[in-house]
Amino acid sequence: MGISYKPLWKQLIDKDIKKINLIKSAGLTTNVMANMGKEKYISIQNLEKICRALECTPNEVISFKPEKVKNE
């Protein structure tokens, strides 16, 4: 199953928060933000930092997308 950060991007738009401001307020590195932009996994610790900074739940930051099934 793949991961998507679309809920996070929506949160940032809705709350009018720039990515750089989230990096600062959550204590993230730019590498973590870059990984999220590429839909790569991040640690639970980083997810927690984001949730605390945005005062939200993990469901408001990530969602899971089904993997494509290959026809055999």
Side-chain angles (χ1 to χ4, degrees):
M1 204 170 258
I3 193 163
S4 172
Y5 295 97
K6 284 184 182 180
L8 171 61
W9 310 138
K10 184 175 181 333
Q11 282 269 346
L12 295 180
I13 290 168
D14 291 346
K15 294 183 178 186
D16 195 29
I17 299 173
K18 296 183 188 282
K19 290 179 183 179
I20 192 72
N21 294 338
L22 177 62
I23 289 170
K24 290 177 183 178
S25 65
L28 303 173
T29 65
T30 54
N31 288 340
V32 170
M33 189 61 69
N35 285 342
M36 289 188 295
K38 297 174 187 171
E39 295 192 342
K40 292 184 178 181
Y41 292 97
I42 62 169
S43 70
I44 294 294
Q45 289 86 1
N46 284 322
L47 181 59
E48 179 183 2
K49 289 178 183 179
I50 293 167
C51 291
R52 287 184 188 275
L54 296 177
E55 298 178 353
C56 66
T57 66
N59 287 340
E60 296 171 292
V61 175
I62 61 171
S63 64
F64 294 101
K65 57 185 179 182
E67 292 183 12
K68 296 178 182 176
V69 177
K70 295 180 183 177
N71 292 335
E72 293 184 40

